[in-house]
Amino acid sequence: MSRLTFNDGFFCGTEDDIKRDKFEFYKRKMIKISNITGAILTMSNMELLQRLESILPNTKIETVEINGNMGYISFKDPHQSYRIIKSFPTISFETETYSLSYMTPDAMLFFGNLPLTYQTKELAKLASSYGVITRCLVIHSKITKKSKGYGFVEYANRNHAMQAKLHLGAKYLEGRSLRVDWSDERMRDYEDTHATTLFVDKLPRHFLQDNVLTAMFQKHGKVIFCQIATSSSTGISRGFAFVDMASAIDAENAMNACNNAVIDGTQVRVSYAMPGRPGASILHPKVSFLCHYIEIPDVYNSAQILVFR
């Protein structure tokens, strides 16, 4: 597979942007071997490296480390991890079979509410001031090929990511307030980068009718969950809601159709929420105003949200 390079020209919305997204997402340098027992535990790191290279064809391994019953493999070419996981989900040593899986990133940030003029090049330039970047991508619509207004940046270490989160959260870019938060660990595959949850902002404070909001979105796709956030002590609306759609396509159709809709005389804003974190996991389905509500993360503070359009 030939390497893709970034186009220095202005965003034109092509299939190449989708390919770049996928290529960058799967640029993961490390994988892990789980639940190690037996002969592997008696090997030196160099012995294990040589053994793995003999088992995994056309592979150049940079380092191998055993820590307890877990093994960590780092590849010289970060795209080899995708090929290995896809072709060899398990490997055998002697009589034992072990599963291979991606390392869960601990230094990847979600950048929401990006200006639609921002592509990977611009996001990388913005984020690189705080440390070495190992992955950077802006997510594009499969339908229009245009930016969805959010992306991801992974840093070489968590401290750099923490500094970026601290300094870039709520930064204004072209009239938009950035939302920066840790990416969700459930985002394992490229398809998971396409949000299925929508964030509805600027709702009238007196508006509490989940069923009305559900009906509005249901016209444009299947709604899995829809709920207005309310105060746990008073039951008063907090002015925003989450809507979980059945698919990324449904979410995109609903977002395009419902953004700037008018509810009780107020124009509401609809944007993509963070992929991998359903609204139902943030609010919890409510039974009555007496039920328990978890705190809403600061990244969803309604005062900081600007529409992606």
Side-chain angles (χ1 to χ4, degrees):
M1 179 179 179
S2 60
R3 289 188 178 276
L4 298 169
T5 57
F6 295 131
N7 182 352
D8 289 338
F10 187 75
F11 169 59
C12 56
T14 69
E15 194 67 34
D16 286 343
D17 295 297
I18 306 295
K19 292 178 181 178
R20 268 200 298 272
D21 293 347
K22 291 182 179 179
F23 187 79
E24 189 71 4
F25 179 81
Y26 288 117
K27 193 174 71 176
R28 306 175 72 164
K29 196 170 184 180
M30 295 188 71
I31 62 176
K32 62 184 178 182
I33 311 174
S34 304
N35 302 318
I36 293 175
T37 58
I40 294 184
L41 295 176
T42 66
M43 294 182 181
S44 68
N45 289 343
M46 182 55 66
E47 288 174 330
L48 181 56
L49 186 153
Q50 292 172 345
R51 182 69 180 275
L52 286 169
E53 286 190 336
S54 70
I55 294 174
L56 304 173
N58 303 316
T59 300
K60 293 296 182 182
I61 296 175
E62 189 171 62
T63 61
V64 174
E65 180 182 353
I66 301 295
N67 187 353
N69 67 343
M70 301 292 292
Y72 303 96
I73 308 169
S74 175
F75 296 96
K76 293 180 179 179
D77 179 354
H79 289 95
Q80 287 191 338
S81 63
Y82 171 68
R83 179 178 63 83
I84 294 302
I85 293 293
K86 187 175 182 179
S87 304
F88 301 93
T90 61
I91 57 173
S92 296
F93 276 84
E94 310 298 340
T95 60
E96 302 293 333
T97 298
Y98 302 102
S99 297
L100 299 180
S101 59
Y102 289 118
M103 286 283 294
T104 301
D106 69 349
M108 178 173 273
L109 296 176
F110 165 78
F111 282 74
N113 218 24
L114 290 170
L116 296 183
T117 56
Y118 263 53
Q119 298 303 309
T120 299
K121 180 181 176 182
E122 288 75 24
L123 179 56
K125 182 178 180 180
L126 173 72
S128 62
S129 300
Y130 300 94
V132 176
I133 292 173
T134 57
R135 284 190 292 170
C136 178
L137 64 156
V138 170
I139 304 303
H140 294 84
S141 164
K142 295 180 181 180
I143 300 172
T144 66
K145 309 301 185 293
K146 294 180 180 179
S147 167
K148 285 189 167 184
Y150 66 89
F152 301 91
V153 175
E154 184 175 26
Y155 287 87
N157 67 64
R158 189 173 176 86
N159 287 335
H160 292 166
M162 290 176 67
Q163 288 300 310
K165 182 176 181 296
L166 175 66
H167 292 286
L168 292 177
K171 178 182 177 68
Y172 275 86
L173 293 173
E174 300 182 17
R176 294 167 177 265
S177 180
L178 280 182
R179 290 158 42 201
V180 182
D181 200 4
W182 299 108
S183 66
D184 195 273
E185 64 180 18
R186 289 166 288 193
M187 195 179 67
R188 303 295 177 86
D189 193 79
Y190 169 72
E191 295 300 322
D192 298 332
T193 65
H194 289 274
T196 58
T197 296
L198 299 174
F199 182 83
V200 186
D201 187 29
K202 300 189 73 173
L203 287 167
R205 292 289 175 152
H206 65 272
F207 182 74
L208 291 166
Q209 297 166 282
D210 293 333
N211 60 329
V212 173
L213 197 62
T214 299
M216 184 176 82
F217 283 88
Q218 191 76 50
K219 295 177 182 178
H220 310 287
K222 184 177 180 180
V223 175
I224 303 299
F225 171 85
C226 177
Q227 186 167 301
I228 298 166
T230 57
S231 167
S232 59
S233 58
T234 67
I236 296 174
S237 169
R238 297 178 65 179
F240 63 93
F242 287 98
V243 182
D244 295 336
M245 305 297 293
S247 70
I249 298 298
D250 284 352
E252 183 169 350
N253 289 336
M255 199 276 285
N256 290 333
C258 297
N259 183 37
N260 295 324
V262 176
I263 296 179
D264 284 357
T266 301
Q267 190 175 66
V268 301
R269 298 181 293 192
V270 182
S271 59
Y272 293 108
M274 185 190 306
R277 190 175 297 175
S281 72
I282 298 172
L283 294 180
H284 289 305
K286 61 187 177 185
V287 177
S288 71
F289 291 140
L290 298 178
C291 70
H292 172 71
Y293 293 84
I294 64 171
E295 287 298 316
I296 306 302
D298 289 341
V299 71
Y300 292 119
N301 186 314
S302 60
Q304 297 181 4
I305 303 301
L306 292 177
V307 70
F308 282 155
R309 279 182 153 179

